[in-house]
Amino acid sequence: MQRLLTPAILYWLAWGAVASADLETLTQRLDAIRERHDIAAYAVVITDREKTLLAEIRGIADRARNEPVTRKSVFRIGSITKSFTGLALAMASERGLLSLESDLKDHIDAELFTNAYAGDAPVSIAQLLEHTSGLMDLSWGEMNHSDPAPIALADAVRVAPGNRQMMWPPGRYMVYSNAGAGLAALALENAAQRTFESFVGEEILAPLNMHDTSFFLSDVADRLITGYDSDAHTPIPYWHMLFRPFGALNTTVDDAGRFIRLFLNRGRLPNGTALVKESTIARVERAQTTLAAQHGLSFGYGLGVYGWYVDSVPFYGHGGDGDGYLAHFGYSDEIGKGYLVMINAFKHAPLREIRSAVERLLVAGRPKRSLMDVPLQEIALETTLGRYETLTRRFSASDPQPLVIVREGDKLFTRLGNGKPRRLFALGGPRFARRGDGAATIIIATTDGEQPIFQGERLNYQRVSP
């Protein structure tokens, strides 16, 4: 029987035919971005499900010594570490070592955190990983902890345990907190009866042949490139983080490609063996413990990865700040490709440009899906329009801006503080999205007779006036 070439197959044939030329053009563009922003070095890896399509590392490993980078050069990937942490906890749950839904107090000492809502809302492992536990982020002193002698996690969590207070009922609002990864990893240590680093090393890094990836400076010191401040020239000393599970990993471009392929192959190793079940990968990607999730929105921050759209194509991944290094990885099961980009400077603009260039290449030529914006007469505007104020904050000193939702003709817009209006697409019921999204990413819902709550885009707002 002759096989018909469907539009989807033709698309992939066309993409493969121009991939080499496109990748060469991409490299030239990334070189120009590095030169324009005076970045010492950048690295990029692009992979499909089977192999690396591009692995480039360009520039200087150390300005003072004028050393060039090599394929063995190591970058810090910061909070991308949380993707390894989330996968490790999900793997432990799959193996029966603990349950993601279990009460945290069943796994660590009760004096290490305070939950005033424990009677109705105990803290779960999943909530720690999805940043819905009610914790604010680490204090300034904890964030700046940098002791060259590696501190055991069991001791690290005893540094300022009074800061580990649930400020809101667990399982309601997403508020990014580096503390959650530390507490969840300690629960894993206690359940597995080994250190977090050894669990990740033996159960994830070793099977993936990620032999150049480590949590410790001592393992990579001879190959770690120098990290620079926002001027791209002032060196920043190595950050010995208080909780290594939130951001301490160091890696290379080749190791990064192996990790991305694990997600693209839905938990399977190159030989076809399942490191974790496909359902475990799906759980890592799915936000499940927020108010928005209770209203059917699975899009958001899962167990160490979060979702976004590029021209309606869904991606999952995470960003990272290693204090002198910035990184971002993403992958799309829909197109079967993923990437990691890294620079050795605390300078966000070039990383955004590099990331955008890579993502645009990956989705180029892909048919875009149009959102079906429902007529506003089908929306409960009386419980949507108005001024909203934040319900949460990440840091105690932050001053969140108000959110306003307005109608202009037959369209809805939001404005955050004095920022520019952004189009808000109504998808029916409590579900909303932005331009370029492929599905709902926001909910505006009323719960238990309260004023409407806007949740999505890592924001938690409640209406204060219509």
Side-chain angles (χ1 to χ4, degrees), residues 172 291-292 294-295 443-453 462:
R172 191 170 177 85
L291 177 65
Q294 296 170 24
H295 285 79
I443 62 105
I444 302 175
T446 302
T447 303
D448 299 330
E450 298 176 336
Q451 283 292 315
I453 291 176
Q462 188 167 42

Side-chain angles (χ1 to χ4, degrees), residues 136 138 140 393-400:
M136 294 176 70
L138 298 175
W140 182 256
R393 60 180 64 195
R394 179 179 174 185
F395 298 105
S396 58
S398 61
D399 186 20

Side-chain angles (χ1 to χ4, degrees), residues 34-65:
R34 182 179 81 87
E35 182 176 352
R36 185 169 67 254
H37 289 278
D38 194 22
I39 300 300
Y42 79 84
V44 57
V45 57
I46 298 176
T47 182
D48 61 15
R49 301 186 200 277
E50 298 178 356
K51 62 186 181 302
T52 297
L53 302 176
L54 175 70
E56 287 287 349
I57 177 167
R58 304 287 187 96
I60 303 299
D62 183 88
R63 290 186 184 276
R65 295 191 295 270

Side-chain angles (χ1 to χ4, degrees), residues 67-87:
E67 295 177 349
V69 292
T70 72
R71 284 285 283 269
K72 287 292 186 179
S73 294
V74 172
F75 286 76
R76 306 209 73 187
I77 56 173
S79 285
I80 294 175
T81 302
K82 293 183 178 70
S83 301
F84 291 79
T85 301
L87 180 61

Side-chain angles (χ1 to χ4, degrees), residues 136-177:
M136 294 176 70
D137 212 334
L138 298 175
S139 66
W140 182 256
E142 294 168 295
M143 196 72 81
N144 285 279
H145 172 96
S146 186
D147 187 347
I151 183 173
L153 188 56
D155 296 325
V157 296
R158 286 175 168 78
V159 175
N163 291 342
R164 244 60 80 215
Q165 297 186 43
M166 282 59 195
M167 307 301 293
W168 310 277
R172 191 170 177 85
Y173 308 120
M174 188 272 169
V175 180
Y176 196 87
S177 173

